[in-house]
Amino acid sequence: MELILAIGIGVLAGSGVWLILRPRSFQVIIGLSLLSYAVNLFIFAMGRLGLGLPPVVDPNVPMDSSTFTDPLPQALILTAIVIGFAMTALFLVVLIVARGLTGTDHVDGREPGQ
Amino acid sequence: MTMPLGHIIILPIVLPLFVGAVLLLFRDQNKVAKAVATGATMAALIVVSIVLLFLTGAGADNGWLGVYLLGNWSPIFGIVLVADRTAAVMLTLTSVLGAAAMIFASARWNGAGPHFHSLFLFLIVGVNGAFLTGDLFNLFVFFEIMLAASYGLLLHASTVAKVRSGLHYIAINLVASFIFLIGVSLIYGVTGTLNMAELAMRAPEIADADRMLFEVGAAVLGTAFLIKAGMWPLCFWLPSAYSAAVSPVAAIFAILSKVGIYVVWRMSLLIFGLETGPSAGLAQNWLLIGGLVTLVFGSVGVLASQSLARLTSYAVIVSSGTMLVSIGIGGVEVAAGAFYYMVGSTLALAALFMLVELIERGRMAGADVLAVTMEAFGFEDEDALPDEEEVGIPIPGKLALLGISFIACALLIAGMPPFSGFIAKFAILTGIIGINAGETGVPIAGADWVAVALLIISGLAVLIAMLRGGINTFWATREDMTPTIGVVEIVPITMLIGACLALTIFAGPAMGYFEAAAAELHNPVAYVDGVVSSTWVPYPGRGALP
């Protein structure tokens, strides 16, 4: 599972970075989305990985970290998803405005050579 | 929190948040009412932050440390807000700056786009929260609040230039936020905590196998803040974004880069301070080198700028560079000077951003470019010959006022006497020279000499650039010079310069306060103890929870 998750994060992050470095603003926004998925999965992996474990501590069982999933990263990811999503939406709006005002979807607002 | 006044710590966050949210409900046509409400909020924030300044400054060595447990959770589980001297200074700076920018904006800019006042207040929420928060993840949340508001404000009164630079600004800051999250999660994965005080306690005890991961996490986190602070080579977005924003927004943006500096400062001293064993002083050399290169980049940029707004943006980078050099060198004396410099230069930069707009108003487009290119290519001014019949010209009062303010800003930012900029730079330089040679007799390191030289040269560069700009602006032979300026526009500028003047006159007590704040930053034991030992308040009539 660790290997699959690591490869998944790596592929997402790699494609995200490549897309962010592209000159078209739509590619940039898709790159940002992919990167945010990679980061969220990464936060998830930084709490321990486990299968089928509840993110709840049972007060009757002595404290043992292998019996429950760390709930904190899940809370963090929830916040990060909300914020990242809102920011991406905002970026989309700016992107559309830039497209309308400059007449091109190049990130610099003008075609190279213009 | 035992004392009833303790609840004042939450006010810098809750008050602007509440007012900003309420203002959203009203139509934008009620411009005057909205401006009054925002102005009143900013005035209240000034009062609150000054109260905090006195509270935290009380006591001889260890001032009062305000720890506020949100939701009354114990600090291991819950979120804390921490107010110490450093935070109080930054809050005061923010509220003064915010009030000035708000007054300035009420003349015309607040009507140029929707919901200016709410966005402005939310920006203040984010900045204040970043100064007060005691844990890393809420730092992220407040950073995002601050950034979201700043995106809106940067795009305020949209023009093509604003949208174009806004696109870059948002993309870069989004990537920075993701880097921030990667750093936070790495640190959490190693230490299992996000509370900064607890992190400081656990940092020395990290196993050797995990230490590398922890340091990488801290470095990644630091990179995210340095993007905001504008360290070279992470600062290329800054000049175009700051010079594209409308002037009151650019003025309040002057504090945003200082938020990055503040966090780097606090984190590096808290987590990699003296007592943290193997990781102590991590990356301090990199901060020094980065700061030096930033100074060079900023100085060159200032000299090469062809418009005053761009010049001011590069001056922001110079200011960041000075701060980074001071952090990199370390030591309480240097830090105290740097603190003084930070407050003074931020106020002056904000004043200059607003001043530039007034100066540029009514000027013909491209006059700056012409002025610089004339100099560079040796073109003669066509009507350089003086008119024989005219004996002296009357100086319009407004222009004189603008000119005096401009000179004051130039002296403040360049660090020339008699203003606070000089005292601050002097304190930093004596700190650097005295740090090694004074007491121990060890010769001063080569890097320190480079730092001293670059700090002086960067001041000279700023002075030259601003002199040139000033001469070309105020001594130019133009008929249509007197711009229309309202009283509400000149008042905030004089207010900011007056604050710098007060900082100069009361340099003794101010410096004492900054020294105490720097000492507190360098010795985080009180901070850590204060946060970790704080206990939640028992519920009345219920006693302890199960």
mmCIF file of all heavy atoms in Angstrom, chain B residues 134-163:
data_model
loop_
_atom_site.group_PDB
_atom_site.id
_atom_site.type_symbol
_atom_site.label_atom_id
_atom_site.label_comp_id
_atom_site.label_asym_id
_atom_site.label_seq_id
_atom_site.Cartn_x
_atom_site.Cartn_y
_atom_site.Cartn_z
ATOM 1 N N GLY B 134 -0.552 30.281 17.697
ATOM 2 C CA GLY B 134 0.490 29.508 18.364
ATOM 3 C C GLY B 134 0.674 28.135 17.756
ATOM 4 O O GLY B 134 1.391 27.309 18.307
ATOM 5 N N ASP B 135 0.005 27.843 16.654
ATOM 6 C CA ASP B 135 0.276 26.543 16.043
ATOM 7 C C ASP B 135 0.344 26.645 14.537
ATOM 8 O O ASP B 135 -0.168 27.591 13.925
ATOM 9 C CB ASP B 135 -0.740 25.493 16.486
ATOM 10 C CG ASP B 135 -2.056 25.659 15.797
ATOM 11 O OD1 ASP B 135 -2.582 26.792 15.832
ATOM 12 O OD2 ASP B 135 -2.552 24.700 15.216
ATOM 13 N N LEU B 136 1.016 25.680 13.941
ATOM 14 C CA LEU B 136 1.404 25.797 12.542
ATOM 15 C C LEU B 136 0.223 25.728 11.600
ATOM 16 O O LEU B 136 0.184 26.428 10.601
ATOM 17 C CB LEU B 136 2.395 24.677 12.188
ATOM 18 C CG LEU B 136 3.804 24.867 12.714
ATOM 19 C CD1 LEU B 136 4.663 23.690 12.326
ATOM 20 C CD2 LEU B 136 4.391 26.134 12.145
ATOM 21 N N PHE B 137 -0.747 24.877 11.918
ATOM 22 C CA PHE B 137 -1.806 24.734 10.936
ATOM 23 C C PHE B 137 -2.692 25.970 10.875
ATOM 24 O O PHE B 137 -3.167 26.360 9.815
ATOM 25 C CB PHE B 137 -2.642 23.480 11.180
ATOM 26 C CG PHE B 137 -3.407 23.098 9.961
ATOM 27 C CD1 PHE B 137 -2.764 22.466 8.921
ATOM 28 C CD2 PHE B 137 -4.736 23.420 9.803
ATOM 29 C CE1 PHE B 137 -3.430 22.148 7.762
ATOM 30 C CE2 PHE B 137 -5.414 23.105 8.650
ATOM 31 C CZ PHE B 137 -4.761 22.463 7.630
ATOM 32 N N ASN B 138 -2.907 26.596 12.033
ATOM 33 C CA ASN B 138 -3.689 27.827 11.997
ATOM 34 C C ASN B 138 -2.929 28.955 11.363
ATOM 35 O O ASN B 138 -3.522 29.879 10.807
ATOM 36 C CB ASN B 138 -4.144 28.205 13.393
ATOM 37 C CG ASN B 138 -5.349 27.398 13.757
ATOM 38 O OD1 ASN B 138 -6.432 27.721 13.334
ATOM 39 N ND2 ASN B 138 -5.142 26.307 14.446
ATOM 40 N N LEU B 139 -1.611 28.850 11.444
ATOM 41 C CA LEU B 139 -0.803 29.799 10.685
ATOM 42 C C LEU B 139 -1.150 29.673 9.206
ATOM 43 O O LEU B 139 -1.340 30.674 8.513
ATOM 44 C CB LEU B 139 0.672 29.480 10.924
ATOM 45 C CG LEU B 139 1.679 30.489 10.444
ATOM 46 C CD1 LEU B 139 1.457 31.791 11.158
ATOM 47 C CD2 LEU B 139 3.079 30.001 10.708
ATOM 48 N N PHE B 140 -1.272 28.440 8.730
ATOM 49 C CA PHE B 140 -1.665 28.203 7.338
ATOM 50 C C PHE B 140 -3.036 28.807 7.057
ATOM 51 O O PHE B 140 -3.238 29.497 6.063
ATOM 52 C CB PHE B 140 -1.671 26.697 7.056
ATOM 53 C CG PHE B 140 -2.325 26.308 5.766
ATOM 54 C CD1 PHE B 140 -1.700 26.562 4.565
ATOM 55 C CD2 PHE B 140 -3.557 25.701 5.755
ATOM 56 C CE1 PHE B 140 -2.299 26.217 3.369
ATOM 57 C CE2 PHE B 140 -4.168 25.357 4.559
ATOM 58 C CZ PHE B 140 -3.531 25.617 3.367
ATOM 59 N N VAL B 141 -3.979 28.565 7.968
ATOM 60 C CA VAL B 141 -5.340 29.059 7.750
ATOM 61 C C VAL B 141 -5.343 30.587 7.686
ATOM 62 O O VAL B 141 -5.941 31.183 6.784
ATOM 63 C CB VAL B 141 -6.271 28.555 8.863
ATOM 64 C CG1 VAL B 141 -7.637 29.195 8.741
ATOM 65 C CG2 VAL B 141 -6.389 27.052 8.811
ATOM 66 N N PHE B 142 -4.639 31.226 8.622
ATOM 67 C CA PHE B 142 -4.633 32.691 8.629
ATOM 68 C C PHE B 142 -3.881 33.241 7.420
ATOM 69 O O PHE B 142 -4.251 34.281 6.871
ATOM 70 C CB PHE B 142 -4.044 33.217 9.926
ATOM 71 C CG PHE B 142 -5.001 33.143 11.074
ATOM 72 C CD1 PHE B 142 -4.714 32.414 12.197
ATOM 73 C CD2 PHE B 142 -6.216 33.807 11.013
ATOM 74 C CE1 PHE B 142 -5.603 32.340 13.245
ATOM 75 C CE2 PHE B 142 -7.108 33.737 12.062
ATOM 76 C CZ PHE B 142 -6.800 33.000 13.177
ATOM 77 N N PHE B 143 -2.839 32.534 7.014
ATOM 78 C CA PHE B 143 -2.134 32.928 5.797
ATOM 79 C C PHE B 143 -3.091 32.901 4.612
ATOM 80 O O PHE B 143 -3.089 33.796 3.777
ATOM 81 C CB PHE B 143 -0.973 31.967 5.535
ATOM 82 C CG PHE B 143 0.362 32.579 5.759
ATOM 83 C CD1 PHE B 143 0.905 32.637 7.020
ATOM 84 C CD2 PHE B 143 1.081 33.122 4.709
ATOM 85 C CE1 PHE B 143 2.133 33.217 7.236
ATOM 86 C CE2 PHE B 143 2.314 33.701 4.920
ATOM 87 C CZ PHE B 143 2.841 33.739 6.179
ATOM 88 N N GLU B 144 -3.912 31.865 4.558
ATOM 89 C CA GLU B 144 -4.823 31.751 3.419
ATOM 90 C C GLU B 144 -5.894 32.836 3.466
ATOM 91 O O GLU B 144 -6.277 33.373 2.419
ATOM 92 C CB GLU B 144 -5.473 30.363 3.392
ATOM 93 C CG GLU B 144 -4.518 29.255 3.024
ATOM 94 C CD GLU B 144 -3.812 29.501 1.702
ATOM 95 O OE1 GLU B 144 -4.478 29.861 0.727
ATOM 96 O OE2 GLU B 144 -2.593 29.343 1.660
ATOM 97 N N ILE B 145 -6.374 33.162 4.664
ATOM 98 C CA ILE B 145 -7.348 34.252 4.780
ATOM 99 C C ILE B 145 -6.724 35.539 4.258
ATOM 100 O O ILE B 145 -7.302 36.278 3.454
ATOM 101 C CB ILE B 145 -7.795 34.435 6.243
ATOM 102 C CG1 ILE B 145 -8.577 33.218 6.712
ATOM 103 C CG2 ILE B 145 -8.633 35.693 6.407
ATOM 104 C CD1 ILE B 145 -8.946 33.275 8.165
ATOM 105 N N MET B 146 -5.495 35.772 4.729
ATOM 106 C CA MET B 146 -4.774 36.967 4.317
ATOM 107 C C MET B 146 -4.581 36.991 2.808
ATOM 108 O O MET B 146 -4.840 38.004 2.145
ATOM 109 C CB MET B 146 -3.431 36.937 5.035
ATOM 110 C CG MET B 146 -2.467 38.002 4.711
ATOM 111 S SD MET B 146 -0.970 37.677 5.663
ATOM 112 C CE MET B 146 0.063 36.972 4.396
ATOM 113 N N LEU B 147 -4.185 35.845 2.237
ATOM 114 C CA LEU B 147 -3.910 35.804 0.808
ATOM 115 C C LEU B 147 -5.183 35.943 -0.010
ATOM 116 O O LEU B 147 -5.205 36.672 -1.003
ATOM 117 C CB LEU B 147 -3.204 34.492 0.456
ATOM 118 C CG LEU B 147 -1.761 34.426 0.927
ATOM 119 C CD1 LEU B 147 -1.194 33.055 0.707
ATOM 120 C CD2 LEU B 147 -0.930 35.458 0.201
ATOM 121 N N ALA B 148 -6.260 35.273 0.445
ATOM 122 C CA ALA B 148 -7.508 35.364 -0.308
ATOM 123 C C ALA B 148 -7.963 36.814 -0.379
ATOM 124 O O ALA B 148 -8.367 37.308 -1.443
ATOM 125 C CB ALA B 148 -8.575 34.498 0.349
ATOM 126 N N ALA B 149 -7.869 37.508 0.753
ATOM 127 C CA ALA B 149 -8.254 38.921 0.749
ATOM 128 C C ALA B 149 -7.307 39.729 -0.129
ATOM 129 O O ALA B 149 -7.738 40.645 -0.835
ATOM 130 C CB ALA B 149 -8.245 39.461 2.172
ATOM 131 N N SER B 150 -6.023 39.366 -0.088
ATOM 132 C CA SER B 150 -5.071 40.156 -0.874
ATOM 133 C C SER B 150 -5.280 39.940 -2.367
ATOM 134 O O SER B 150 -5.065 40.862 -3.150
ATOM 135 C CB SER B 150 -3.640 39.829 -0.467
ATOM 136 O OG SER B 150 -3.227 38.624 -1.054
ATOM 137 N N TYR B 151 -5.722 38.737 -2.774
ATOM 138 C CA TYR B 151 -6.035 38.529 -4.195
ATOM 139 C C TYR B 151 -7.133 39.502 -4.623
ATOM 140 O O TYR B 151 -7.044 40.160 -5.653
ATOM 141 C CB TYR B 151 -6.532 37.102 -4.475
ATOM 142 C CG TYR B 151 -5.574 35.993 -4.095
ATOM 143 C CD1 TYR B 151 -6.050 34.741 -3.769
ATOM 144 C CD2 TYR B 151 -4.216 36.208 -4.082
ATOM 145 C CE1 TYR B 151 -5.190 33.720 -3.418
ATOM 146 C CE2 TYR B 151 -3.348 35.194 -3.734
ATOM 147 C CZ TYR B 151 -3.841 33.944 -3.401
ATOM 148 O OH TYR B 151 -3.001 32.947 -3.052
ATOM 149 N N GLY B 152 -8.192 39.544 -3.789
ATOM 150 C CA GLY B 152 -9.303 40.425 -4.110
ATOM 151 C C GLY B 152 -8.868 41.877 -4.173
ATOM 152 O O GLY B 152 -9.269 42.627 -5.059
ATOM 153 N N LEU B 153 -8.021 42.266 -3.212
ATOM 154 C CA LEU B 153 -7.603 43.666 -3.162
ATOM 155 C C LEU B 153 -6.664 44.012 -4.302
ATOM 156 O O LEU B 153 -6.714 45.117 -4.844
ATOM 157 C CB LEU B 153 -6.916 43.951 -1.820
ATOM 158 C CG LEU B 153 -7.850 44.049 -0.627
ATOM 159 C CD1 LEU B 153 -7.059 44.185 0.658
ATOM 160 C CD2 LEU B 153 -8.783 45.231 -0.775
ATOM 161 N N LEU B 154 -5.814 43.052 -4.676
ATOM 162 C CA LEU B 154 -4.891 43.327 -5.782
ATOM 163 C C LEU B 154 -5.672 43.552 -7.073
ATOM 164 O O LEU B 154 -5.322 44.404 -7.883
ATOM 165 C CB LEU B 154 -3.910 42.159 -5.955
ATOM 166 C CG LEU B 154 -2.961 42.247 -7.146
ATOM 167 C CD1 LEU B 154 -2.066 43.463 -6.996
ATOM 168 C CD2 LEU B 154 -2.111 41.013 -7.257
ATOM 169 N N LEU B 155 -6.759 42.787 -7.236
ATOM 170 C CA LEU B 155 -7.550 42.916 -8.457
ATOM 171 C C LEU B 155 -8.554 44.046 -8.381
ATOM 172 O O LEU B 155 -9.306 44.285 -9.315
ATOM 173 C CB LEU B 155 -8.288 41.600 -8.728
ATOM 174 C CG LEU B 155 -7.384 40.422 -9.026
ATOM 175 C CD1 LEU B 155 -8.160 39.140 -8.951
ATOM 176 C CD2 LEU B 155 -6.752 40.586 -10.382
ATOM 177 N N HIS B 156 -8.566 44.749 -7.252
ATOM 178 C CA HIS B 156 -9.504 45.846 -7.067
ATOM 179 C C HIS B 156 -9.279 46.900 -8.145
ATOM 180 O O HIS B 156 -8.147 47.246 -8.449
ATOM 181 C CB HIS B 156 -9.270 46.446 -5.676
ATOM 182 C CG HIS B 156 -10.303 47.419 -5.263
ATOM 183 N ND1 HIS B 156 -11.569 47.032 -4.898
ATOM 184 C CD2 HIS B 156 -10.270 48.756 -5.153
ATOM 185 C CE1 HIS B 156 -12.254 48.101 -4.579
ATOM 186 N NE2 HIS B 156 -11.504 49.153 -4.721
ATOM 187 N N ALA B 157 -10.383 47.404 -8.678
ATOM 188 C CA ALA B 157 -10.312 48.364 -9.784
ATOM 189 C C ALA B 157 -9.568 47.747 -10.963
ATOM 190 O O ALA B 157 -8.571 48.276 -11.430
ATOM 191 C CB ALA B 157 -9.641 49.664 -9.362
ATOM 192 N N SER B 158 -10.059 46.598 -11.422
ATOM 193 C CA SER B 158 -9.323 45.769 -12.379
ATOM 194 C C SER B 158 -8.904 46.533 -13.625
ATOM 195 O O SER B 158 -9.705 47.207 -14.247
ATOM 196 C CB SER B 158 -10.194 44.589 -12.811
ATOM 197 O OG SER B 158 -11.014 44.178 -11.772
ATOM 198 N N THR B 159 -7.646 46.418 -13.928
ATOM 199 C CA THR B 159 -7.143 46.842 -15.225
ATOM 200 C C THR B 159 -6.351 45.662 -15.771
ATOM 201 O O THR B 159 -6.142 44.687 -15.057
ATOM 202 C CB THR B 159 -6.209 48.062 -15.096
ATOM 203 O OG1 THR B 159 -5.141 47.687 -14.226
ATOM 204 C CG2 THR B 159 -6.925 49.260 -14.525
ATOM 205 N N VAL B 160 -5.930 45.798 -17.006
ATOM 206 C CA VAL B 160 -5.215 44.673 -17.619
ATOM 207 C C VAL B 160 -3.939 44.380 -16.835
ATOM 208 O O VAL B 160 -3.602 43.225 -16.558
ATOM 209 C CB VAL B 160 -4.901 44.985 -19.091
ATOM 210 C CG1 VAL B 160 -4.051 43.877 -19.680
ATOM 211 C CG2 VAL B 160 -6.193 45.132 -19.873
ATOM 212 N N ALA B 161 -3.237 45.451 -16.425
ATOM 213 C CA ALA B 161 -1.985 45.238 -15.702
ATOM 214 C C ALA B 161 -2.233 44.507 -14.391
ATOM 215 O O ALA B 161 -1.473 43.620 -14.004
ATOM 216 C CB ALA B 161 -1.314 46.585 -15.426
ATOM 217 N N LYS B 162 -3.338 44.869 -13.710
ATOM 218 C CA LYS B 162 -3.633 44.235 -12.425
ATOM 219 C C LYS B 162 -3.969 42.765 -12.607
ATOM 220 O O LYS B 162 -3.509 41.908 -11.857
ATOM 221 C CB LYS B 162 -4.800 44.944 -11.736
ATOM 222 C CG LYS B 162 -4.438 46.276 -11.164
ATOM 223 C CD LYS B 162 -5.560 46.795 -10.311
ATOM 224 C CE LYS B 162 -5.238 48.175 -9.807
ATOM 225 N NZ LYS B 162 -5.154 49.176 -10.877
ATOM 226 N N VAL B 163 -4.786 42.473 -13.630
ATOM 227 C CA VAL B 163 -5.184 41.082 -13.842
ATOM 228 C C VAL B 163 -3.972 40.246 -14.248
ATOM 229 O O VAL B 163 -3.784 39.127 -13.780
ATOM 230 C CB VAL B 163 -6.291 41.008 -14.906
ATOM 231 C CG1 VAL B 163 -6.575 39.565 -15.270
ATOM 232 C CG2 VAL B 163 -7.543 41.677 -14.405
#
